[in-house]
Structure formats: structure tokens, C-alpha cells
Amino acid sequence: MADYLRPTRLDEALQALSRPHAVLAGGTDFYPARVGRAIDEDVLDITAVAQLRGISECADGWRLGATTTWSELLEAPLPPLFDGLRQAAREVGGRQIQNAGTLAGNLCNASPAADGVPPLLALDAEVELASPAGVRRLPLAAFIIGNRRTALRAGELMVAIHVRKRTRATLSGFLKLGARRYLVISIAMAAATLEIERGRIAAAQVAVGACSAVAHRLPLLEAALAGAPFDQRLGNRIDSAQLAPLTPIDDVRGSAEYRLDAVVTLVRRLLVGLVP
Ligand SMILES: Cc1cc2nc3c(=O)[nH]c(=O)nc-3n(C[C@H](O)[C@H](O)[C@H](O)COP(=O)(O)OP(=O)(O)OC[C@H]3O[C@@H](n4cnc5c(N)ncnc54)[C@H](O)[C@@H]3O)c2cc1C
């Protein structure tokens, strides 16, 4: 390792990024990606930067600091809007991984199987990116642009994730399909946020991961759900034609054909499971 920095202030961290540094948060993706080779790059450890930590609520939404860990998310007093993200948090690795791994690390690593991405897409989350030149916000859907590719520019750090408040009663959920229940890379996962008004779905956001290079929202399904009675009949509104944005691959965990078939069942179970 050439240089290891662990600043406590955000301005120091951003200043450090005027020279190339590999950003290190919980290290749970960082170190596995470097097994068998020496770390010869300069490293910027951001875990001591106070401004990157914690969850706060403001009038129109929540700010999830970049280095919020999965465990911290699970311990935070958040409303049912976050149930889907919290369900995903419970299924990211085991407790040790949840204690160290961060939300922003999951997004910046941009794995097609990152469990945090579908729930945050279904929450219409935005990411806040900072550099010495200033701050910008991007919808998460515009931030992850490919398999392990993001819109992060050289010298930029993800500082927070923002989730807006809803005016209607809102529920959310997450379901993951793996070869076993825990400690497993997803074959497919789905997340949904449903806004309910007078017994009907007023708005729906549904996202599916591990079935394309980037997790996708399903606009055709969302349109089919809008206005539907919020009861068990929801399951009848889901069909394979709504999966158009998904382009799964065959891999060791499952074939493309299996994934497409499984996703219909997964999404149906997820949505029907949200009905009280
Ligand atoms: C045993 C094991 C099990 C796992 N199980 C799961 C699982 O079930 N589901 C799942 O989704 N993931 C899983 N993971 C992957 C990993 O734990 C998560 O993706 C985690 O959230 C990564 O966060 P981190 O803080 O450890 O990221 P790090 O490893 O520190 O960083 C990941 C990448 O993001 C960059 N980065 C981190 N933070 C920032 C920032 N603020 N700004 C800019 N760039 C940044 C780093 O430079 C690096 O490229 C597992 C990993 C292990 C080792």
C-alpha cells in the first residue's frame, strides 16, 4: 500500500481525492476483490468521517449517510416505508457483514446482485455525490449504469442516499430467491413500494435485481397495479409480458429461463404478501 488515509472530516476526505485513491468503507467488497494480490494503490478510508454517518429525518424525507451500515439501518426507528430495505439488510451476508458493510458501498460496487439496489430503486432514492468542485444529486436509476459501472466521477465520493416522504399510507417489501435462505448470492430479488388510498393502490414502484446487468423498475407492471384494489386479487395483475426490461443471463446460480419464470412468482408473492 502506498498511502493510507483515514480523515475525520469530509473536506479532508474530498481534498485527498484530488489525487487518485481507492475508497474504503466496510471493506466487504473491497478486500474480496483484492484477494491474492498486494494492495498497492493509495487508500482513503472514509469510516471515521462523521458527516458520512447516521440517518436523519427532515420535512420532506430521510438522509441515509453513506457509511450507514446494514446493522445501523436495522436498528434505526424508520417507518414501514423502509420495511423492504430493512428486509434486504437482514439478508446481506451474516451479522459480521451487516456490521461492517455500508449502504453506499453496496451501491458503488454496483454488482447486479447487490441486494440494496432494488429496494432503493423502489423507494425512488437519490444519491448525493460530492467533490471539491461541489455537490450533485442523481436518481439511483441514473447512478448505476452497468455491471460494476457507476456515474461516479474521478474525485467524487457518495456522501448520502435520500428517500422522499410519501403523503399516502405506504408499504414496502423485499423478497430474495437464493439457493438457500441466508448467506447466499441472489438468483433474483424483487422489491416493491405501494402507496395506498381508500383501499386501492394509488402508486406502485416495483424493481427486480440479479436478472439483468443493472436492477430495473418494471413500468408496465407498475401501470397495471395503479388503481387496483389492494387485496389478494393483486396477484392476477402480474404476467411475464411486464418483465420486458429484464435480460437475465445463464450462470452457475440459474438459467435465464429459470430466472424469468421465478421472477413472476417472486413478484406475485411479494405483492400479495403486502396485503394485510
Ligand atoms: C461473505 C459476504 C457475504 C455478502 N453477502 C452479500 C449479500 O447477501 N448481498 C449483497 O448485496 N452483498 C453482499 N456482500 C457484499 C458486501 O457486503 C455489500 O455489498 C456491502 O454493502 C459493501 O459495503 P462496504 O462498506 O463493505 O463496501 P467496500 O467494500 O468498502 O466498498 C465497495 C466499493 O464501493 C466503493 N465505495 C464504498 N463507499 C463509497 C463511497 N461512499 N463513495 C464512493 N465509493 C465508495 C469502494 O471504493 C469499493 O469499490 C457480501 C460480502 C461478503 C464478503
Side-chain angles (χ1 to χ4, degrees):
M1 191 189 300
D3 207 355
Y4 171 83
L5 299 176
R6 192 168 186 259
T8 53
R9 294 207 332 252
L10 182 57
D11 58 348
E12 292 170 335
L14 295 177
Q15 201 49 49
L17 287 176
S18 56
R19 275 198 307 116
H21 280 79
V23 174
L24 171 68
T28 61
D29 279 316
F30 181 96
Y31 289 114
R34 289 162 175 80
V35 168
R37 65 178 169 95
I39 296 176
D40 54 5
E41 62 230 289
D42 291 340
V43 172
L44 175 70
D45 180 337
I46 57 170
T47 52
V49 179
Q51 290 117 299
L52 299 180
R53 299 208 74 91
I55 299 176
S56 54
E57 183 178 351
C58 61
D60 57 355
W62 289 265
R63 176 190 189 275
L64 313 173
T67 54
T68 301
T69 64
W70 297 108
S71 296
E72 285 165 352
L73 178 84
L74 283 168
E75 284 156 16
L78 291 165
L81 176 65
F82 286 92
D83 285 356
L85 186 61
R86 290 154 62 89
Q87 188 57 43
R90 262 179 226 110
E91 302 198 28
V92 173
R95 287 299 287 271
Q96 296 94 329
I97 295 296
Q98 291 160 18
N99 288 341
T102 63
L103 272 64
N106 193 251
L107 303 184
C108 292
N109 193 55
S111 158
D115 286 319
V117 177
L120 284 165
L121 281 178
L123 287 171
D124 267 338
E126 290 189 346
V127 295
E128 182 182 336
L129 310 172
S131 71
V135 176
R136 63 182 178 128
R137 268 166 81 150
L138 274 185
L140 176 58
F143 176 73
I144 301 182
I145 54 177
N147 182 353
R148 300 188 188 273
R149 288 174 47 230
T150 71
L152 200 69
R153 295 179 187 144
E156 266 185 338
L157 201 60
M158 183 181 290
V159 293
I161 300 154
H162 295 271
V163 175
R164 65 178 167 85
K165 284 187 179 165
R166 270 61 172 178
T167 50
R168 297 179 274 241
T170 307
L171 300 164
S172 77
F174 170 85
L175 266 187
K176 166 169 169 173
L177 172 70
R180 58 180 184 221
R181 187 73 181 80
Y182 285 101
L183 269 174
V184 70
I185 299 178
S186 299
I187 297 170
M189 70 285 213
T193 304
L194 300 181
E195 297 178 37
I196 312 298
E197 198 165 51
R198 283 185 234 103
R200 290 185 177 268
I201 297 178
Q205 292 100 41
V206 184
V208 168
C211 287
S212 33
V214 181
H216 280 289
R217 291 267 296 268
L218 299 180
L220 292 176
L221 172 59
E222 292 177 1
L225 292 172
F230 184 47
D231 60 28
Q232 298 289 327
R233 288 172 293 171
L234 268 188
N236 303 332
R237 301 223 168 206
I238 301 150
D239 70 58
S240 54
Q242 297 153 343
L243 306 182
L246 306 181
T247 50
I249 54 163
D250 297 324
D251 69 9
V252 286
R253 286 182 288 281
S255 66
E257 193 186 359
Y258 172 71
R259 282 190 159 96
L260 284 178
D261 191 50
V263 160
V264 176
T265 307
L266 200 65
V267 172
R268 191 170 287 142
R269 268 187 206 156
L270 170 68
L271 294 174
V272 171
L274 289 175
V275 178

